[in-house]
Amino acid sequence: MIKQPEEATERISLAGIDPVSLLGVQDANLKLIQNAFRAKVFARGDEIVVRGRPDELAVITNLLLKLREKAEAGQALAERDIGYAISEMQSGPRPQPSGDRPGKPLATGKLVRPKSPGQTEYLQAIQDYDLVIAIGPAGTGKTYLAVAAAVASLNERQVERVILCRPAVEAGESLGFLPGDFREKIDPYMRPLYDALYEMMSPEKVHRYLANDIIEIVPLAYMRGRTLNNAFVILDEAQNATGTQMKMFLTRLGFGSKAVVTGDITQIDLDRKAGSGLVEVQQVLDGVDGIRFIRLAEGDVVRHTLVQRIINAYQSQNGGEKA
């Protein structure tokens, strides 16, 4: 009969820090850690007690000590921070991008920093490459960070204008059946881009830039025939661009311009016969010099923690398929 390893106990002191900054409100952060491991993890007085097998005990203790250092430095730990830390402990740290300023805040109207290693890699790629194609599930910051990088480039006068576009495609809907004139028809499709801009800039500045064509928000179909120089161009929801549209967009890039393509290949609303340009482009441009593919994952989700669990549940249902 194989003898099971005996349980051991470790204690991490909470002295010198605000316990809530580490444990979370009503111990929410601690519960996340407890749910991720078999060992028992609980707060008692001014310490955290960890009881379990020695191999797991070492991992949890290391995790808690690193989180304690962050709390001691005054960093407020949200559920997503705990989730990232657990993922790194369980699967090993994600390789950090090269470059001398990873994690640099962007010069927008608000402080925007990457919140995961994947997001750091994404922003570093935008800095280093003229064309970045980011693929990942909802909530990983693909659109938000691309718009933030575009606004920062505009503020720093690296580009003269920003062009944001999306395919006007939604599941079960057609533009022709929506009420209103053309602008009223397309605005709902472009709304997430407006929302991101309003977080970076005042409404007055957004309206002024839109009126002067310093910022353009247009349907993808309206990009045909244009050559975009000295511009930061974003194609959002690119999984709903056809192969022909994707080629058209990518060939609009002019001198002094950058392009970012974002999308989630698990949420394609196109007629399946048309085929997604975002799926196709991964094969067509694989290995092409000067282009960087970034693949974000559920560990990079920065929305409500339920979003990450929902993504995991759908992946399990679909046999583990990932974006």
Side-chain angles (χ1 to χ4, degrees):
M1 182 176 179
I2 300 175
K3 186 178 179 180
Q4 296 296 325
E6 293 184 3
E7 286 192 348
T9 301
E10 287 283 354
R11 289 177 168 82
I12 293 92
S13 173
L14 295 173
I17 65 170
D18 176 7
V20 176
S21 65
L22 174 57
L23 305 180
V25 177
Q26 296 182 340
D27 293 348
N29 293 346
L30 204 60
K31 289 174 184 176
L32 288 176
I33 298 172
Q34 171 69 79
N35 292 337
F37 299 95
R38 294 183 179 180
K40 296 178 181 178
V41 186
F42 54 92
R44 176 180 291 169
D46 62 349
E47 62 183 13
I48 300 173
V49 179
V50 186
R51 187 173 298 142
R53 293 172 51 175
D55 54 346
E56 195 174 53
L57 205 67
V59 173
I60 299 172
T61 301
N62 191 21
L63 167 66
L64 287 168
L65 287 174
K66 288 187 175 183
L67 292 172
R68 190 193 188 288
E69 286 180 6
K70 293 182 178 180
E72 197 171 18
Q75 180 176 340
L77 297 173
E79 288 186 32
R80 60 172 176 267
D81 301 312
I82 306 302
Y84 298 148
I86 291 171
S87 296
E88 285 193 355
M89 284 293 171
Q90 291 178 330
S91 60
R94 189 168 180 168
Q96 292 292 335
S98 59
D100 58 347
R101 292 183 297 176
K104 171 189 172 186
L106 296 173
T108 67
K110 61 179 291 186
L111 186 65
V112 176
R113 288 182 182 271
K115 298 184 182 297
S116 74
Q119 290 191 352
T120 300
E121 186 180 7
Y122 180 29
L123 287 179
Q124 188 71 40
I126 292 174
Q127 178 179 317
D128 296 339
Y129 291 82
D130 287 338
L131 174 58
V132 175
I133 300 174
I135 302 170
T140 50
K142 302 183 300 295
T143 303
Y144 184 82
L145 291 176
V147 172
V151 171
S153 295
L154 192 62
N155 289 343
E156 294 170 358
R157 300 187 177 181
Q158 296 174 0
V159 296
E160 296 176 356
R161 53 185 173 152
V162 171
I163 292 98
L164 312 173
C165 67
R166 274 185 160 205
V169 175
E170 291 292 338
E173 291 184 328
S174 170
L175 285 174
F177 292 102
L178 294 177
D181 60 21
F182 178 73
R183 175 56 57 184
E184 292 171 325
K185 288 176 186 289
I186 68 167
D187 268 356
Y189 297 95
M190 306 294 126
R191 181 51 53 188
L193 299 175
Y194 285 104
D195 291 343
L197 281 175
Y198 286 133
E199 286 206 37
M200 312 292 168
M201 312 164 79
S202 69
E204 294 77 15
K205 193 170 186 179
V206 172
H207 295 156
R208 185 170 73 252
Y209 278 9
L210 288 170
N212 294 327
D213 286 337
I214 296 173
I215 295 177
E216 291 184 62
I217 300 179
V218 295
L220 175 58
Y222 277 54
M223 298 292 286
R224 187 173 298 279
R226 302 182 66 179
T227 300
L228 304 172
N229 296 316
N230 302 312
F232 196 118
V233 194
I234 299 172
L235 171 57
D236 191 38
E237 293 290 312
Q239 75 274 7
N240 290 328
T242 65
T244 301
Q245 288 176 322
M246 179 65 73
K247 179 182 177 182
M248 179 270 291
F249 173 83
L250 294 175
T251 53
R252 300 307 92 199
L253 203 61
F255 294 108
S257 292
K258 279 182 177 285
V260 178
V261 176
T262 73
D264 177 1
I265 58 175
T266 69
Q267 298 191 46
I268 299 172
D269 297 321
L270 289 169
D271 181 341
R272 291 293 178 178
K273 293 181 291 185
S276 169
L278 187 59
V279 173
E280 180 184 76
V281 78
Q282 295 177 78
Q283 297 177 337
V284 174
L285 298 184
D286 182 38
V288 174
D289 191 40
I291 299 173
R292 179 70 188 277
F293 283 89
I294 295 291
R295 289 176 172 84
L296 299 168
E298 61 272 14
D300 298 303
V301 171
V302 293
R303 293 181 184 169
H304 195 289
T305 50
L306 274 177
V307 174
Q308 186 169 335
R309 296 173 201 161
I310 290 167
I311 291 167
N312 289 336
Y314 271 98
Q315 288 175 354
S316 299
Q317 184 71 21
N318 295 328
E321 179 186 350
K322 291 189 177 183

